[in-house]
Amino acid sequence: MRSENFPVAARILPSGKRQHLQALYGFFRLVDYAGDEAPGNRGALLDFLAVDLKRAYHGSARIPMLRALTPTVAECAIPHEVLVKLIEANRQDQQVRRYPAFTDLLDYCALSANPVGEAVLHVFGRAEPPLIALSDRICTALQILEHCQDIAEDFQQDRVYLPIEDMQRFGCAESELVAAGASTRLRGLVKYEVDRARRMLDAGAPLVGELSGTARIAVAGYVAGGRATAAAFAAANHDPLRVDVRPGRRRTFVEWGRLYSLGGTW
């Protein structure tokens, strides 16, 4: 996830919670680097991360970021099977380059995005099944928005996260994903995906009302970042090829305040 959708360094959070979130974010970024950017054999690197993640749960990790993660997984009781999913998602990225249907993309998001929210709920001591289900909707929506932001960048790595069935419905060819600007067809497709993500955000937003204190502040921030990103897409006429679509700080703050005060019902 992009940093603007995962504001772990918010100064208003207590230092303990902030340190746990920063440790998690460091792990997330390390795994993404191994799967997306690292030179050499990425599969072997992901295998090494999987081994060292196990070591982190026994206090013997070798990689500094995983050593930093050890107190977090211990104090917050984050199950190993939650964090290892993120490594599995990046392994999948080495093999799977296209997603035939939206349901296939949802299965991928269950590995690549949803564990992030579940881990955050563990940090705040609220990893309860009904709340995890709401968090999954939020995290999947944020992942879809990120895919829409990164269409050209992903295609340059021979990855397309827009479902094939949706591309066919809108008559979009893959060659359109790296043009100087989005075609009318592609803008229609992006709007379709962004609107779908916005509905998923709205479906998960009641999670804010189920939380209190710093947990409510943090989760409202994640949802606000997603809503502000959707608004940025609309302002850019749903053209992420011509415009670097990013959520505005003011819009994010306004969304954050509304979500926090209304408990996600707005």
Side-chain angles (χ1 to χ4, degrees):
M1 286 186 184
R2 290 188 176 208
S3 59
E4 60 262 31
N5 290 341
F6 192 75
V8 297
R11 295 181 180 179
I12 54 178
L13 296 180
S15 61
K17 300 297 185 188
R18 186 167 66 248
Q19 288 172 3
H20 287 320
L21 292 175
Q22 288 173 331
L24 283 171
Y25 187 58
F27 170 71
F28 300 153
R29 288 299 304 132
L30 178 62
V31 174
D32 282 347
Y33 171 79
D36 288 342
E37 304 171 32
N41 189 332
R42 293 175 183 173
L45 182 54
L46 290 167
D47 288 342
F48 180 72
L49 287 178
V51 170
D52 215 43
L53 178 62
K54 288 183 179 180
R55 293 193 189 107
Y57 277 81
H58 295 90
S60 58
R62 299 176 183 177
I63 300 171
M65 283 186 180
L66 287 171
R67 288 201 298 268
L69 187 65
T70 294
T72 295
V73 298
E75 295 173 25
C76 303
I78 303 174
H80 173 266
E81 58 265 25
V82 172
L83 297 185
V84 78
K85 288 179 182 178
L86 295 157
I87 297 175
E88 293 303 319
N90 278 272
R91 281 201 182 107
Q92 183 168 314
D93 276 333
Q94 310 311 305
Q95 304 294 328
V96 180
R97 303 289 180 171
R98 305 292 187 275
Y99 291 86
F102 184 63
T103 53
D104 299 307
L105 185 62
L106 290 179
D107 290 340
Y108 171 73
C109 291
L111 296 175
S112 67
N114 298 356
V116 172
E118 185 170 349
V120 169
L121 288 177
H122 275 283
V123 168
F124 291 107
R126 296 300 308 274
E128 303 153 22
L131 302 191
I132 293 172
L134 292 172
S135 172
D136 287 350
R137 295 187 180 99
I138 294 169
C139 291
T140 292
L142 293 177
Q143 182 76 85
I144 292 170
L145 289 170
E146 182 176 333
H147 289 328
C148 290
Q149 288 171 302
D150 295 340
I151 286 173
E153 178 182 334
D154 289 334
F155 187 69
Q156 289 168 356
Q157 295 199 48
D158 191 28
R159 295 174 185 166
V160 178
Y161 294 101
L162 298 170
I164 293 174
E165 64 178 8
D166 294 345
M167 291 188 67
Q168 292 174 342
R169 181 180 299 118
F170 282 84
C172 291
E174 289 191 1
S175 59
E176 297 179 48
L177 304 181
V178 287
S183 65
T184 300
R185 295 183 298 272
L186 182 55
R187 283 188 280 111
L189 172 56
V190 170
K191 183 179 186 303
Y192 178 77
E193 304 297 351
V194 169
D195 288 348
R196 179 149 59 183
R198 175 59 190 257
R199 290 192 297 271
M200 294 182 73
L201 275 176
D202 290 345
L207 174 61
V208 176
E210 297 294 327
L211 303 173
S212 60
T214 55
R216 185 166 179 163
I217 291 171
V219 173
Y222 307 146
V223 180
R227 286 182 170 174
T229 300
F233 269 104
N237 198 21
H238 296 94
D239 185 352
L241 302 183
R242 193 181 303 278
V243 178
D244 183 14
V245 178
R246 294 181 181 273
R249 290 186 178 182
R250 183 179 183 280
R251 180 62 182 260
T252 301
F253 181 78
V254 169
E255 296 280 2
W256 195 334
R258 287 173 174 169
L259 281 159
Y260 184 80
S261 62
L262 298 176
T265 58
W266 175 77

